Amino acid sequence: MEFFITFIQVLDSTIRLATPLLLACLAGLYSERAGIFDIGLEGKMLMAAFFSAAVAAVTGSVWLGLLAGIASSLVLSGLHGLASITFRGNQLISGVAINFLAAGMTVLVAQSWFEQGGRTPSLFGGGRFTPINFPFAESLSGVPIIGPIYSELLSGHSVLVYVAFLMVPATWWILYRTRFGLRLRAVGENPAAVDTAGVSVVGLRYAAVAICGVLCGIAGAYLATALQAGFVKDMTAGRGFIALAALIFAKWRPWHAMGACLLFGLLQAIALRFQNIDLGGVVIPVQAMDALPYVLTVVILAGFVGKAVPPRAGGEPYVKER
């Protein structure tokens, strides 16, 4: 029974750690399906994490913090759209520039605003998202097997966790069951055909980039106001790049993206849970366990993805024929 409880706790951590990855992965899915590659997921998450924590700390309202995080991410998405759609610049360079901008600007503004070494004040009370407990979760917790699954694994997460996982079927439905989704996928494969049909390629791509900005904003806000209690320098810690890896691993499909993000979340949960492991007198250092998710990300991408074919028009600016 003790092993089962530990197993449930690891899965609980997996869900919490996979949430920002899943939101960022779905954000990249919308953008890249429309033909706009976005290396800047990391930067948008970082900017959203800072502004959500800063506004929540100043106002005491986590919802205002969430809106501020989404707004800041949308601004960066707008910059990326302007550079790569309107001015037809290199999408990869634009994304990298956004990452550098966010990494420097967040620390600079945080130091100027709060003077705490690039951090925000710790959040508490109304400045943080609180767990949502399902009905009868406490009373059922003692029931063998079903109790821990219901009270520990399913119940007790913040609202953004449930939003993230509900976005998976919603994304599937939008992409594969709506006219907007059909056009979005078409604009990533053959924008000239979409243009010929009288649909705005530029408008669709900006819509995809805007959706990407909203989801990255929620992911960043979750990091700073739910998973942790405030902003610290570079707190995204490569999650945006792991989300991109998960997107390639999932071959740009929403349900597979959820599975990939849960896998990477599980690796992070194991690394956090089992540190300084003793293997017959040889102690595996904590640094090795911390590096494990990133190492396995490379191994999985190198050896198990197979041929991942991105959208055919991805990364290519569309030039309307006269």
Side-chain angles (χ1 to χ4, degrees), residues 215-251:
L215 292 175
C216 279
I218 298 172
Y222 172 80
L223 278 175
T225 59
L227 192 62
Q228 298 183 34
F231 174 84
V232 294
K233 181 187 176 195
D234 294 332
M235 73 181 301
T236 46
R239 283 181 174 89
F241 299 111
I242 291 181
L244 277 174
L247 184 59
I248 297 167
F249 184 45
K251 299 180 180 176

Side-chain angles (χ1 to χ4, degrees), residues 93-114:
I93 292 174
S94 172
V96 170
I98 283 172
N99 288 336
F100 281 126
L101 175 67
M105 186 176 169
T106 49
V107 176
L108 187 69
V109 176
Q111 177 60 21
S112 173
W113 201 346
F114 299 107

Side-chain angles (χ1 to χ4, degrees), residues 114-191:
F114 299 107
E115 297 182 350
Q116 294 187 11
R119 304 164 64 99
T120 61
S122 294
L123 302 175
F124 53 88
R128 287 197 71 193
F129 281 104
T130 53
I132 296 174
N133 292 311
F134 288 178
F136 312 113
E138 198 170 326
S139 57
L140 289 173
S141 60
V143 178
I145 300 177
I146 296 172
I149 290 174
Y150 182 73
S151 61
E152 289 275 341
L153 192 59
L154 300 179
S155 175
H157 300 288
S158 72
V159 65
L160 297 186
V161 173
Y162 301 111
V163 167
F165 283 91
L166 285 173
M167 276 304 300
V168 177
T171 297
W172 175 85
W173 184 79
I174 289 169
L175 286 179
Y176 297 104
R177 290 292 183 271
T178 67
R179 182 180 296 176
F180 172 75
L182 175 64
R183 290 172 172 175
L184 192 76
R185 287 183 291 126
V187 87
E189 296 290 340
N190 193 343

